[in-house]
Amino acid sequence: MKTNTIFLSPDEMPRQWYNILADIKMNPPLGPDGKPVTPEMLAPVFPMNLIEQEVSTERWITIPDEVMNIYSIWRPSPLIRAVNFEKALGTPAKIYYKNESVSPAGSHKPNTAVPQAYYNKVFGIKKLTTETGAGQWGSALSFACSQIGLECKIYMVRISFDQKPYRKAQMQAWGGKCVASPSNETNAGRAILAKDPNTPGSLGIAISEAVEAAVSDTTGQTRYALGSVLNHVMLHQTVIGLEAKKQLEKTGDYPDIVIGCAGGGSNFAGIAFPFVSDKMHGKKVEIYPVEPIACPTLTRGPFVYDHGDTARYTPLLAMHSLGHAFVPPPVHAGGLRYHGMSPIVSQLVTENLLTPKAVSQIDAFKAGVLFARTEGMIPAPESNHAIAQVVIEANRAKETGEKKVILFNLSGHGLLDLGSYEKYFANELDNYAISDEDLAKSEAVFKDFPKPQLLKSI
Amino acid sequence: MKTNTIFLSPDEMPRQWYNILADIKMNPPLGPDGKPVTPEMLAPVFPMNLIEQEVSTERWITIPDEVMNIYSIWRPSPLIRAVNFEKALGTPAKIYYKNESVSPAGSHKPNTAVPQAYYNKVFGIKKLTTETGAGQWGSALSFACSQIGLECKIYMVRISFDQKPYRKAQMQAWGGKCVASPSNETNAGRAILAKDPNTPGSLGIAISEAVEAAVSDTTGQTRYALGSVLNHVMLHQTVIGLEAKKQLEKTGDYPDIVIGCAGGGSNFAGIAFPFVSDKMHGKKVEIYPVEPIACPTLTRGPFVYDHGDTARYTPLLAMHSLGHAFVPPPVHAGGLRYHGMSPIVSQLVTENLLTPKAVSQIDAFKAGVLFARTEGMIPAPESNHAIAQVVIEANRAKETGEKKVILFNLSGHGLLDLGSYEKYFANELDNYAISDEDLAKSEAVFKDFPKPQLLKSI
């Protein structure tokens, strides 16, 4: 039978994650004293086995059997040739996409939620805390904890908690306990509520509450989990790109261009890093992280030392940043509303191994709707940004007549984001382009911090 | 790698649907004069190629290549051994489920929406009209029309239109035009709005509008499409059971019990009919359609001639019915809120080939939440009814120690129904058991209609 889907059998699944820290040098995270942080300083927040993984430079790290078993609920995920989308664009390019929307939580997030829950369990932890904005990460961690057997507590930004009751119910269906943040359950939350009882909350506040809840459990059996940015999160996501490489091998194609949307960087890293490694070893391939013009961390933010959170609880990370005080405009791609970027992705940009792109919210939805009408899947608003860049590349190939092979990551479906599509159809979306003055103001917060070195690994 | 999923390769996909009309006798649909309806009478509503399929008694009907190509977006669907669910129930039974939630629309409905759109297109039709209650069928038909290249117009029951904006946006993402019913676009709609401008609408009204919109297009290029009940709909859904049989063969198991939820009967027919055929030919297997106690068509309604719609536009169908005036209580499984039942499923019940069951709404959600927490998928409220019966059978196996093999159909996911889960968690659900008096009153509407014969095919 003719099919546009390139399947992998379960036996062909990658059994190891690819650790790109084997290939590159990195500026270390710095503590409040300006010196590199030690593993011990992170021990109250993360379990030691994950801290070790965070700094490991082993090239291949074996995926534990229990994680493989849970991955098998939805993995290997399909690689699909977007034939109808190609036809609609009239392009000679071949467009392939990796469909990460097939997980129970509907995105790539469970790829790291499951191993994070697993390593915590192995370390003897009973409960995980986390924050969530729009709800993708909170629901993925709830799913993972239900599979592994951990309690899960999620601090969800108040405005999203009220606007998106479906997400809360989804977490609850998997046994996760979700409260609106700021809450009355933490010192951080109570302090903010005392000042402003009607605050809509923020990711920065929610992180503060989740970290406080983890470190203040006197039994020592609670830890905090993060869904992006950190090295071990990028590591776990490489299963996406490793599968995609095997699937592409079956077609005889190798990508000229690899594309993923980038907020904290995790789905992008997942599809891209195995190809970045090829590129370092001489292969010719263009690799584009795509962000919203409303939050242009890689395209307009400098490579600096800055905090990962608004409240400055985290170490200083060497990364592209718009400043930890930057509040991104309310674009519907909630997963791309982050002031900073994965330090590894940032380092690869400084080495010119990646070429960042930015697209507007309206172009993103326009591309996403064309994709839905031709390929059948309704993409998440985040994924629409990758698709908009695919459209640009496909149109360029049409002009030049080049038969480019384009691979992109469909990071998630948009079924719990259909409200944003409704606003698109009603012409109620804004692009939220931001001014140089606003950026300069936001970036002022890190001007006195140490400067990272411009390392070259290759 | 260990996996609980039994895959089929695309080459192993069934190339034909199974037509159970080759095995059984049926009472014919009757017109207003009490005589069997002719194909010509249905020609303004359906294209003649589908009308021919509706009455065909060919045992195997080839799936057109273009339909196969679109099926390949999500088919073959996975068959999964629910190992974690078995463990949580402590049952010796083996539980397998066919996961129909993997389609772009999130349910089994595209299995018939795609061929219906295809046959209309081949017949020269440009546009399809339909009704939708909660939105599953309307979104499936929108998806199918976007793939095949037809216009699609959906009349959505007003109260659902207002309560479930996500469904409307989903249809729109695929290019479907969805209006609240009653609308100002049809005589039927205008007449009702004139009497009651604030009416919440009903499926009966929406059907009237969709049929009127189809037959009143003077170009003759518009037809109406129905998502359940009719013979050709059941036929298309048999791809579910045919795939499941092939997948089960790989495990060496054959089901002792086959279970599906039943509203109009289509997902149930899909999983069950290939096994019903085996049973007719001597195989030992129990087959249970499961309905809500709030709408007990098969378990408490008689086998009679009745209309398929409230407004009495359809022919008289020989089926189990609670009376065409019956308004089912507002259970959240909108797809199971139908007064009648597929005539084929009804006929098979009169022949004792099927054993209908009914479960309460609260038991259904309780079972669905256990399933979500163990297997990872959040089921549709409709599917929860099948799962509740699986729990009953698994517990019985636990008591008797029998290693029963249970197969059920997961007809769809519950991501656009999470509001109902929220009500379950808040203890706000009602079971809506109904009284004998209410049923007797509803059933009075067909007391003067002709009586169907109690046929025995085998």
Side-chain angles (χ1 to χ4, degrees):
Chain A
M1 198 193 87
K2 190 188 145 196
T3 173
N4 301 320
T5 303
I6 300 104
F7 287 101
L8 276 190
S9 77
D11 288 338
E12 294 172 298
M13 258 199 78
R15 303 299 313 254
Q16 298 170 306
W17 294 300
Y18 186 78
N19 184 8
I20 205 161
L21 291 181
D23 297 305
I24 56 172
K25 290 180 249 170
M26 295 276 288
N27 287 276
L30 305 179
D33 55 0
K35 290 183 188 162
V37 293
T38 62
E40 289 67 32
M41 292 166 73
L42 298 171
V45 182
F46 299 109
M48 195 50 76
N49 49 5
L50 272 179
I51 295 170
E52 285 164 9
Q53 205 168 65
E54 178 71 13
V55 297
S56 168
T57 56
E58 287 291 318
R59 187 175 303 274
W60 293 99
I61 294 181
T62 297
I63 307 174
D65 284 348
E66 191 169 345
V67 173
M68 286 298 286
N69 288 345
I70 301 172
Y71 273 179
S72 79
I73 293 176
W74 75 97
R75 307 208 71 85
S77 72
L79 180 78
I80 300 169
R81 170 95 184 269
V83 173
N84 291 336
F85 190 53
E86 292 170 12
K87 274 188 205 148
L89 292 167
T91 181
K94 285 188 191 174
I95 301 172
Y96 292 94
Y97 66 97
K98 187 73 170 156
N99 186 0
E100 289 296 307
S101 78
V102 296
S103 80
S107 80
H108 66 292
K109 290 289 185 192
N111 294 335
T112 185
V114 172
Q116 286 194 49
Y118 168 79
Y119 288 114
N120 273 282
K121 173 95 170 181
V122 166
F123 194 71
I125 300 305
K126 304 286 186 213
K127 181 176 173 180
L128 288 178
T129 66
T130 199
E131 77 292 331
T132 199
Q136 279 283 14
W137 170 243
S139 54
L141 194 67
S142 294
F143 158 73
C145 286
S146 77
Q147 287 286 317
I148 294 285
L150 290 178
E151 282 182 68
C152 185
K153 178 65 175 270
I154 306 105
Y155 295 85
M156 184 170 184
V157 175
R158 160 64 73 184
I159 187 163
S160 295
F161 184 90
D162 292 340
Q163 284 173 346
K164 302 181 190 241
Y166 279 14
R167 280 287 181 199
K168 183 178 49 176
Q170 188 185 30
M171 294 179 229
Q172 210 170 355
W174 284 313
K177 289 198 175 65
C178 176
V179 293
S181 167
S183 75
N184 268 313
E185 300 183 5
T186 64
N187 291 330
R190 282 185 293 267
I192 289 155
L193 285 174
K195 275 191 222 159
D196 179 3
N198 297 317
T199 175
S202 76
L203 216 41
I205 296 167
I207 293 176
S208 304
E209 289 204 84
V211 171
E212 183 186 321
V215 302
S216 63
D217 174 4
T218 51
T219 69
Q221 295 186 327
T222 301
R223 290 291 183 283
Y224 166 75
L226 190 64
S228 194
V229 181
L230 298 179
N231 301 347
H232 66 274
V233 179
M234 307 296 130
L235 173 76
H236 301 153
Q237 294 292 357
T238 59
V239 67
I240 302 171
L242 294 168
E243 282 182 8
K245 273 182 92 166
K246 284 198 179 192
Q247 286 161 309
L248 273 178
E249 276 167 21
K250 295 189 180 204
T251 69
D253 283 325
Y254 188 89
D256 296 297
I257 306 171
V258 177
I259 294 173
C261 62
S266 78
N267 98 81
F268 168 77
I271 190 91
F273 282 6
F275 296 96
V276 173
S277 170
D278 285 359
K279 187 171 182 168
M280 286 174 170
H281 296 91
K283 200 91 179 170
K284 194 168 166 283
V285 52
E286 296 294 306
I287 307 175
Y288 304 155
V290 187
E291 53 192 17
I293 59 169
C295 191
T297 315
L298 288 170
T299 50
R300 295 174 71 192
F303 182 62
V304 293
Y305 265 116
D306 194 9
H307 291 284
D309 69 318
T310 313
R312 304 177 56 170
Y313 284 179
T314 75
L316 286 170
L317 304 171
M319 62 181 179
H320 280 267
S321 176
L322 300 169
H324 59 259
F326 180 67
V327 179
V331 289
H332 286 275
L336 306 183
R337 293 180 67 242
Y338 184 60
H339 71 276
M341 178 58 66
S342 147
I344 301 182
V345 171
S346 298
Q347 175 64 31
L348 293 170
V349 169
T350 69
E351 301 201 36
N352 294 315
L353 288 160
L354 312 176
T355 311
K357 308 282 181 181
V359 301
S360 77
Q361 173 161 257
I362 292 170
D363 283 351
F365 273 86
K366 188 178 168 194
V369 168
L370 180 65
F371 186 81
R373 289 185 184 174
T374 51
E375 293 298 311
M377 314 283 168
I378 300 176
E382 291 81 1
S383 312
N384 285 346
H385 289 72
I387 299 172
Q389 189 64 36
V390 171
V391 169
I392 291 169
E393 303 304 326
N395 286 337
R396 186 168 303 156
K398 191 177 174 181
E399 280 167 28
T400 63
E402 286 177 290
K403 291 181 180 162
K404 296 271 186 187
V405 175
I406 301 169
L407 168 68
F408 80 90
N409 196 33
L410 188 78
S411 57
H413 65 63
L415 294 182
L416 296 184
D417 307 287
L418 280 163
S420 60
Y421 278 87
E422 183 147 44
K423 289 205 187 321
Y424 170 74
F425 291 124
N427 289 318
E428 290 173 6
L429 289 192
D430 193 318
N431 276 330
Y432 297 113
I434 51 178
S435 69
D436 288 339
E437 291 70 27
D438 284 342
L439 281 192
K441 220 178 290 173
S442 299
E443 290 169 3
V445 297
F446 51 69
K447 69 177 170 22
D448 297 327
F449 293 167
K451 304 292 170 225
Q453 290 184 275
L454 289 176
L455 299 169
K456 282 285 167 196
S457 308
I458 57 168
Chain B
M1 198 192 86
K2 189 186 145 194
T3 173
N4 301 318
T5 303
I6 300 106
F7 287 101
L8 276 190
S9 77
D11 289 337
E12 295 172 295
M13 257 199 78
R15 302 300 311 255
Q16 298 169 306
W17 293 301
Y18 187 78
N19 184 9
I20 204 160
L21 292 182
D23 296 305
I24 55 172
K25 288 181 252 169
M26 296 275 290
N27 287 277
L30 304 179
D33 56 0
K35 290 183 188 160
V37 293
T38 62
E40 289 66 33
M41 293 166 73
L42 298 171
V45 182
F46 299 108
M48 195 51 75
N49 50 5
L50 272 179
I51 295 169
E52 284 164 11
Q53 205 169 66
E54 178 71 12
V55 297
S56 168
T57 55
E58 286 290 317
R59 187 176 302 275
W60 293 99
I61 294 182
T62 297
I63 307 174
D65 284 348
E66 191 168 345
V67 173
M68 286 298 286
N69 289 344
I70 301 172
Y71 274 180
S72 79
I73 293 176
W74 74 98
R75 306 210 72 85
S77 73
L79 179 78
I80 300 168
R81 170 97 185 266
V83 172
N84 291 335
F85 190 52
E86 291 170 13
K87 274 189 204 149
L89 292 167
T91 181
K94 285 187 191 176
I95 301 172
Y96 291 94
Y97 67 97
K98 187 71 170 159
N99 185 1
E100 289 296 307
S101 78
V102 296
S103 80
S107 80
H108 67 292
K109 291 287 185 192
N111 294 335
T112 185
V114 172
Q116 286 194 50
Y118 169 80
Y119 287 114
N120 273 282
K121 172 95 171 180
V122 166
F123 194 71
I125 300 305
K126 304 286 186 211
K127 180 177 173 180
L128 288 178
T129 67
T130 199
E131 77 292 331
T132 199
Q136 279 281 17
W137 170 242
S139 54
L141 195 66
S142 295
F143 158 71
C145 286
S146 77
Q147 287 286 317
I148 294 285
L150 291 178
E151 282 183 68
C152 184
K153 177 66 174 270
I154 306 104
Y155 295 86
M156 185 170 184
V157 176
R158 160 64 72 183
I159 188 164
S160 295
F161 185 90
D162 292 339
Q163 283 173 345
K164 301 181 190 239
Y166 278 18
R167 280 285 182 199
K168 183 179 47 175
Q170 188 185 30
M171 293 179 231
Q172 209 171 354
W174 284 313
K177 288 198 176 65
C178 175
V179 292
S181 169
S183 75
N184 267 312
E185 300 183 5
T186 66
N187 291 331
R190 281 185 293 267
I192 289 155
L193 284 176
K195 275 191 226 161
D196 180 4
N198 298 316
T199 175
S202 76
L203 215 41
I205 296 168
I207 293 176
S208 303
E209 291 204 85
V211 171
E212 183 185 325
V215 301
S216 63
D217 175 2
T218 51
T219 70
Q221 295 186 326
T222 301
R223 291 291 184 280
Y224 166 75
L226 190 64
S228 193
V229 180
L230 298 179
N231 301 348
H232 66 274
V233 180
M234 307 296 130
L235 173 76
H236 301 152
Q237 294 293 356
T238 59
V239 66
I240 303 171
L242 293 168
E243 282 181 9
K245 273 182 92 166
K246 285 198 178 193
Q247 286 161 308
L248 273 178
E249 275 167 21
K250 296 189 180 204
T251 68
D253 283 324
Y254 188 89
D256 297 295
I257 306 171
V258 177
I259 294 173
C261 62
S266 78
N267 98 81
F268 168 76
I271 191 91
F273 283 5
F275 296 96
V276 173
S277 170
D278 285 359
K279 185 169 183 169
M280 286 175 170
H281 296 91
K283 200 92 180 171
K284 193 166 167 285
V285 51
E286 296 294 308
I287 307 176
Y288 304 155
V290 187
E291 53 192 17
I293 59 170
C295 190
T297 316
L298 289 170
T299 49
R300 295 175 68 194
F303 182 60
V304 293
Y305 264 116
D306 194 8
H307 290 286
D309 68 318
T310 314
R312 303 178 57 171
Y313 284 179
T314 76
L316 287 171
L317 304 172
M319 61 181 179
H320 280 267
S321 177
L322 300 170
H324 59 259
F326 180 67
V327 179
V331 288
H332 286 275
L336 306 183
R337 292 180 67 242
Y338 184 60
H339 71 275
M341 179 58 65
S342 148
I344 302 182
V345 171
S346 298
Q347 175 64 30
L348 293 171
V349 168
T350 68
E351 301 201 37
N352 293 316
L353 287 160
L354 311 176
T355 311
K357 307 282 182 181
V359 301
S360 77
Q361 174 161 257
I362 292 170
D363 283 352
F365 273 86
K366 188 178 169 193
V369 168
L370 180 65
F371 186 82
R373 290 184 183 173
T374 50
E375 293 299 310
M377 314 285 168
I378 299 175
E382 291 82 0
S383 312
N384 285 346
H385 290 72
I387 299 172
Q389 190 64 36
V390 171
V391 169
I392 291 169
E393 302 305 326
N395 286 337
R396 185 167 304 154
K398 190 176 172 180
E399 279 166 28
T400 62
E402 286 177 291
K403 291 181 179 163
K404 295 270 187 189
V405 175
I406 301 170
L407 168 68
F408 80 91
N409 196 32
L410 188 77
S411 57
H413 65 62
L415 293 183
L416 296 185
D417 307 286
L418 280 163
S420 59
Y421 278 87
E422 182 147 45
K423 291 207 185 322
Y424 169 74
F425 291 124
N427 290 318
E428 289 172 7
L429 289 193
D430 193 319
N431 276 332
Y432 297 113
I434 51 180
S435 70
D436 288 339
E437 291 70 25
D438 284 343
L439 280 192
K441 219 177 291 172
S442 299
E443 290 170 6
V445 297
F446 50 68
K447 70 175 170 23
D448 298 328
F449 293 168
K451 304 292 171 224
Q453 291 184 275
L454 290 176
L455 298 170
K456 284 282 169 199
S457 308
I458 57 166

